[in-house]
Amino acid sequence: MSGLKFQPLVGRGFFRDAESVGIREFDRGEAVLGSDAFFDASNLSTVRLDLAGVHPDSQVALLWQTLSPSAEVHLVELHRGAAEVTWHRLDLEPDWDGQIAQVAIGVYGLHSVEPIRLRSLDFQPPTREILARFLWQDWRLFQPWRQGSANHYSGTPAETPLRPVTVMIIWLVTALVLLMIFIHWRRLAAAVWMPSALVVVLVPWLVLDGLWQARLSDQVASTRARFGGLDQAGKRGMEDDALLQAQAREVLDHLEPLRGQRLFILRESMRHEFNRLRLQYHLLPLNVYNFGHQLPEPGHARAGDYVLLLDDPGGVEFYSEDEVLVDERFRWPATLSLEQPRFLVFRLEGPGEEAF
Amino acid sequence: MPLLESLSLTGLIAALALPWLTGALVVRLLTGPNSGVNICLGYGFFLGQIVIIVLLLGWDTFFGGVRFLPLAALLLVLATSAGALVVRDNWRLPSRPRWPLMIWLMVAILLGLIGARFWLLLQELALRPVYPWDAWMNWVPRAVVWFHHAELTPFVLPPEWLIAPPEAEVYALGNWRASGYPPGVPLMLLWMMLGGGTADHTLLFLPWLVAPLAFALVLWGHLRTGGLGPVVTLVLIYLFLSLPFANIHTMLAGYADFWLGLYFSLGVMAAERWRHVGGMGHGALALILATGCAFMKTPGMVFAGLILMALILVGAGVSSRWLGRGVMLGLVAIALMLLGGVMPGLSAMPADRFLLPLPGFLPELRIQPQPLLPILFDSLFASSNWHLLWPVLGLSALAALVVRGWVILDSLALLSLVTAATLLVFVFGYTHYFRQAENLVTLNRAWLYLVPLTTYVMGVCWTSALRGSDGND
């Protein structure tokens, strides 16, 4: 399907040229181009996507509707590297079934300087060549850092049928066996076969390292696109939680001078949750106690301490007329000190007591 | 230049260079004139970090507070004193190696590969603010607070924080146990902050980039002294420096795991050197590096214990035969434990059937066999964490065994490596820490503790195989 058949469904600044269509601006972090279609999903289970202008840290998804009465919209994320032309398998998607009536390409997340440009979206039956392309694409896939990257590096998506390390081990062992046979047959001196063995080891290692070096290059390009040319404050402003950081800075400005101040963060989640921990980090060097979702006991907090309710933990109420902060266990005289979209900050004005 | 705004570049360079210089000179004094520049610089970087940790702790204890200039001046005095002793001790510059052109060409190619890799690592480290979870949750916060307070404000566990009297200024981290973690990494960071004049900058993590390179210098020194050729040695160094998981812990800086692995490896290598060349200096160096392990992470105490074990074995003059038996025992134990974890029936043992209390801060272990083998196999032989390190290790050991025979088991480094691996297999395969292996949160980071020493052991195997193949014993 040529990109020219697609229309804008979400986004602003739609344009069309001789080869492609595109969207210049996201609408609330989304841009979607869609088109009518009519084909049997089971016959065409691979897709070739030619899409440019996608920020390395954005996500791309294929959306589709079938002729079924429910008119449900199905979605699958298309893992793409830095390449503009990518191939994807759909036969593993349980909802890729029946008569396809509409398809769309959605881009979500960060906005690149370049506009999103769709040249073509082609559905094809699987062939050996296409399956080989899938494999190479999985091996070259660029996935930006996640928080789990420091724990494990798999190298390929989980569904990859053949992983590069496995292939290289097979290559290594096969090459060594052949080398040993050759050495034994030709009765070569050890001074010859040892360096040869080293070369046999180095070749597959260099293949794997070439893939890793390419992945790192993609990563550095992505990082540079986001943080390049900025000072430290500018970099902080480009992080995913920049808004949380800005709000934390307001808290710090409000509580100056910080030394000696104490603050309790209350959130509904159990401890060890990303947002509350991240907030504690951004509030440094403020002294923060970051556990639980209930008001502190009278012996654990004192007048002058602050309580921050993050994302409405529930169960804690503030009665402005009485200026008291109450939950099911305790009540504290308090004044509202700061109000932000994601949290409220209260100052404890006196000793706490049991609620009832 | 935006990258360098809000940062004192001179102070940062001084913060990096002064401990390194001091450490290198102290290593030179400890190990004698036969230690080459690479050995001194390599070990010296890590010794310098320990010096900084001790100085910061001591200065805060005795003088209250931490300041860059007095400590930098003290380091300069230490370095000057050590330097004077070194010069007096017939110091001489190393001569340029005389290699054929082909060797120089291959060395240049390998250095080019390494340079290309580290250029990418440097860019990622310099561009991205501190990113990995444990870094900004566990390790960086203490340094930030200490920097702002200009003293080492105590960090306590949450229950203690709640009951602390008003006059006691104590902090608690958001990870329940993290306040009790050793102070090494936060103090290393604090030193860079003090030098750079800021608590928030990407270049404060430069030591994470330098550490593997410093280890590479030690590898070069040891293996070249052991008789391995320059190209083969550099190939091995390239293999180490190209490992994806090690690269990740270099550029997504802020974790303590790689540091622990490096300190452990260097401590064992120093003990091995003591065994082969004698002289108490190498033994003392190993002992200092053991304290480095303990400064890095709580499990570091165990690895410090392994270095002490190695030193005791050297001091007791343990025979080759017993070293070899220890290696074989460890390998058999690993195999049995891994197989036992996947045998039906054994893994059906009820949890908490056996509890193993540990001393001090270490948590008690709930003993139960777990199927670690498939997870470990995937991590080592299928995932891209380690390229082909583990198959190559196996092949290297096999080659050395074929060429030299069982004598290759006569290795303190191999014994330490196998013992450490046995402990890890036990912890992840027979305790509740299996969950941390199953969800892949901790397994590879713990295995990283072994990787530097693994590379050294591989180098020893290559040396054995190549020397044996030359007819040299």
Side-chain angles (χ1 to χ4, degrees):
Chain A
M1 295 173 68
S2 165
L4 297 174
K5 291 184 180 176
F6 284 74
Q7 298 292 327
L9 300 180
V10 178
R12 293 186 287 270
F14 176 75
F15 65 91
R16 184 191 301 272
D17 60 29
E19 292 179 339
S20 63
V21 298
I23 288 177
R24 290 196 172 85
E25 288 181 34
F26 282 27
D27 186 0
R28 277 175 286 189
E30 295 182 16
V32 181
L33 291 159
S35 171
D36 292 333
F38 190 74
F39 58 87
D40 189 336
S42 59
N43 295 333
L44 303 171
S45 60
T46 67
V47 59
R48 177 186 180 278
L49 172 64
D50 188 345
L51 181 70
V54 178
H55 192 283
D57 290 345
S58 290
Q59 288 79 44
V60 175
L62 171 70
L63 302 99
W64 69 93
Q65 273 183 313
T66 63
L67 288 177
S68 73
S70 67
E72 184 182 352
V73 176
H74 305 284
L75 179 150
V76 62
E77 186 177 355
L78 303 178
H79 298 286
R80 307 173 80 239
E84 293 180 355
V85 177
T86 54
W87 296 82
H88 308 274
R89 293 180 68 166
L90 299 173
D91 55 330
L92 299 175
E93 292 298 319
D95 295 321
W96 185 256
D97 191 31
Q99 291 293 323
I100 305 298
Q102 252 201 336
V103 293
I105 290 293
V107 183
Y108 309 91
L110 292 175
H111 194 280
S112 175
V113 174
E114 298 294 319
I116 301 294
R117 188 184 295 273
L118 175 64
R119 296 194 189 93
S120 64
L121 179 67
D122 297 322
F123 296 91
Q124 301 180 15
T127 62
R128 274 190 200 162
E129 184 196 347
I130 291 176
L131 292 174
R133 282 178 188 272
F134 284 145
L135 198 62
W136 178 246
Q137 186 174 278
D138 281 350
W139 287 19
R140 277 289 289 121
L141 182 68
F142 166 62
Q143 292 175 303
W145 296 133
R146 300 167 293 106
Q147 284 299 325
S149 297
N151 300 331
H152 180 69
Y153 174 58
S154 64
T156 53
E159 61 271 13
T160 304
L162 211 52
R163 294 153 90 175
V165 171
T166 309
V167 172
M168 291 303 127
I169 289 176
I170 295 170
W171 175 352
L172 171 66
V173 171
T174 305
L176 279 175
V177 166
L178 291 173
L179 179 66
M180 293 299 119
I181 293 172
F182 183 72
I183 288 165
H184 183 73
W185 173 45
R186 296 297 294 266
R187 299 183 191 278
L188 292 176
V192 172
W193 67 262
M194 286 300 297
S196 304
L198 198 61
V199 170
V200 165
V201 164
L202 206 53
V203 167
W205 191 292
L206 285 170
V207 170
L208 291 175
D209 208 43
L211 290 171
W212 174 236
Q213 182 82 355
R215 190 246 181 269
L216 284 181
S217 298
D218 292 341
Q219 178 61 64
V220 170
S222 168
T223 305
R224 195 182 298 116
R226 184 189 271 216
F227 301 113
L230 300 174
D231 62 6
Q232 189 68 12
K235 288 174 185 173
R236 288 293 188 190
M238 292 303 294
E239 290 190 286
D240 291 338
D241 62 351
L243 188 58
L244 188 67
Q245 293 186 40
Q247 292 168 353
R249 267 196 301 280
E250 287 220 26
V251 175
L252 294 177
D253 292 340
H254 190 73
L255 263 55
E256 284 279 3
L258 297 175
R259 192 143 189 196
Q261 308 275 32
R262 305 191 324 162
L263 181 138
F264 291 77
I265 294 179
L266 305 185
R267 194 169 196 260
E268 189 174 359
S269 69
M270 299 297 289
R271 60 176 189 246
H272 220 94
E273 190 270 331
F274 182 85
N275 286 300
R276 69 183 304 168
L277 290 165
R278 201 68 184 152
L279 179 60
Q280 180 175 10
Y281 170 67
H282 292 310
L283 287 172
L284 290 170
L286 187 62
N287 195 348
V288 172
Y289 182 86
N290 193 5
F291 298 92
H293 60 278
Q294 294 178 310
L295 291 173
E297 295 179 16
H300 293 165
R302 46 190 180 254
D305 286 344
Y306 290 84
V307 171
L308 186 151
L309 306 181
L310 177 60
D311 293 331
D312 188 13
V316 180
E317 298 290 339
F318 177 67
Y319 296 98
S320 55
E321 289 177 1
D322 300 328
E323 289 190 330
V324 63
L325 204 55
V326 180
D327 71 5
E328 64 179 5
R329 301 187 312 161
F330 303 110
R331 53 189 289 135
W332 285 85
T335 52
L336 178 62
S337 184
L338 184 67
E339 192 168 350
Q340 286 282 351
R342 285 191 70 178
F343 52 77
L344 302 170
V345 179
F346 297 91
R347 187 175 190 275
L348 302 182
E349 301 292 355
E353 59 188 12
E354 290 189 1
F356 299 105
Chain B
M1 186 179 182
L3 175 66
L4 301 179
E5 287 176 18
S6 74
L7 178 76
S8 165
L9 187 60
T10 313
L12 193 77
I13 293 172
L16 199 58
L18 280 175
W20 197 348
L21 177 64
T22 309
L25 291 167
V26 169
V27 169
R28 171 62 175 75
L29 288 174
L30 281 175
T31 58
N34 290 329
S35 290
V37 169
N38 298 299
I39 290 280
C40 294
L41 284 176
Y43 276 120
F45 176 76
F46 294 93
L47 195 70
Q49 297 299 314
I50 296 175
V51 168
I52 275 304
I53 291 167
V54 171
L55 282 182
L56 284 167
L57 288 170
W59 198 273
D60 183 71
T61 302
F62 292 111
F63 301 108
V66 287
R67 303 278 186 277
F68 182 71
L69 284 179
L71 285 164
L74 182 57
L75 277 173
L76 204 54
V77 166
L78 287 172
T80 308
S81 309
L85 290 171
V86 167
V87 168
R88 200 181 65 179
D89 194 21
N90 290 327
W91 168 79
R92 59 187 183 280
L93 271 173
S95 57
R96 187 167 160 261
R98 294 177 187 177
W99 297 327
L101 182 63
M102 185 54 70
I103 300 287
W104 277 111
L105 185 61
M106 288 191 278
V107 164
I109 291 171
L110 288 163
L111 287 176
L113 287 174
I114 293 169
R117 173 58 45 82
F118 271 74
W119 172 233
L120 288 178
L121 300 184
L122 172 62
Q123 289 181 80
E124 184 68 19
L125 183 142
L127 285 168
R128 178 182 293 274
V130 61
Y131 179 76
W133 192 313
D134 282 12
W136 51 260
M137 181 177 66
N138 295 340
W139 303 111
V140 175
R142 277 188 280 177
V144 172
V145 171
W146 293 339
F147 174 82
H148 284 282
H149 292 184
E151 63 180 352
L152 304 187
T153 310
F155 278 73
V156 300
L157 293 178
E160 293 174 54
W161 189 96
L162 289 172
I163 62 174
E167 63 276 10
E169 184 184 33
V170 295
Y171 275 65
L173 292 172
N175 182 10
W176 192 267
R177 288 187 176 275
S179 297
Y181 290 175
V185 166
L187 286 171
M188 292 194 308
L189 266 174
L190 172 64
W191 175 246
M192 297 299 288
M193 290 176 181
L194 291 172
T198 176
D200 184 23
H201 201 281
T202 55
L203 293 182
L204 300 176
F205 294 92
L206 277 176
W208 271 254
L209 190 79
V210 176
L213 293 171
F215 180 79
L217 290 174
V218 178
L219 266 185
W220 174 270
H222 276 306
L223 294 176
R224 290 288 291 134
T225 308
L228 202 59
V231 172
V232 180
T233 305
L234 203 50
V235 165
L236 189 77
I237 287 172
Y238 160 71
L239 298 191
F240 170 69
L241 294 176
S242 67
L243 293 170
F245 200 67
N247 290 165
I248 288 170
H249 274 252
T250 298
M251 62 185 152
L252 296 184
Y255 274 43
D257 303 279
F258 203 13
W259 286 98
L260 174 52
L262 292 167
Y263 273 107
F264 170 59
S265 305
L266 290 168
V268 170
M269 289 157 70
E272 179 109 84
R273 188 116 180 105
W274 182 31
R275 180 173 176 240
H276 287 299
V277 305
M280 294 293 293
H282 289 96
L285 179 60
L287 200 59
I288 295 169
L289 292 165
T291 67
C293 288
F295 273 133
M296 290 301 117
K297 294 194 73 171
T298 304
M301 289 190 284
V302 174
F303 288 85
L306 291 179
I307 297 175
L308 286 176
M309 177 197 79
L311 289 172
I312 290 169
L313 291 174
V314 175
V318 67
S319 72
S320 311
R321 185 175 299 180
W322 282 105
L323 282 183
R325 284 174 181 168
V327 170
M328 289 308 299
L329 190 65
L331 290 173
V332 168
I334 289 172
L336 286 176
M337 281 195 291
L338 286 174
L339 289 173
V342 294
M343 281 175 63
L346 260 184
S347 57
M349 279 172 59
D352 301 336
R353 182 167 182 172
F354 303 108
L355 294 174
L356 183 66
L358 294 178
F361 194 70
L362 295 168
E364 68 176 11
L365 299 177
R366 300 192 289 277
I367 309 299
Q368 182 187 20
Q370 302 284 4
L372 177 66
L373 180 58
I375 299 170
L376 193 61
F377 185 88
D378 183 87
S379 170
L380 302 187
F381 297 102
S383 296
S384 297
N385 294 300
W386 317 107
H387 284 338
L388 299 172
L389 177 69
W390 308 103
V392 172
L393 171 69
L395 291 168
S396 304
L398 189 62
L401 200 62
V402 165
V403 173
R404 295 296 306 279
W406 295 103
V407 68
I408 69 152
L409 297 184
D410 173 22
S411 166
L412 202 61
L414 185 57
L415 177 64
S416 302
L417 180 64
V418 170
T419 308
T422 307
L423 289 172
L424 289 183
V425 168
F426 173 73
V427 166
F428 287 109
Y430 281 77
T431 75
H432 59 283
Y433 284 100
F434 172 73
R435 282 197 299 275
Q436 300 278 322
E438 195 174 32
N439 61 20
L440 294 174
V441 167
T442 311
L443 178 66
N444 294 303
R445 284 161 47 196
W447 219 257
L448 188 58
Y449 305 158
L450 310 182
V451 164
L453 188 59
T454 298
T455 316
Y456 172 70
V457 166
M458 243 165 54
V460 170
C461 290
W462 291 8
T463 307
S464 293
L466 284 167
R467 286 170 71 183
S469 69
D470 290 340
N472 296 326
D473 281 332

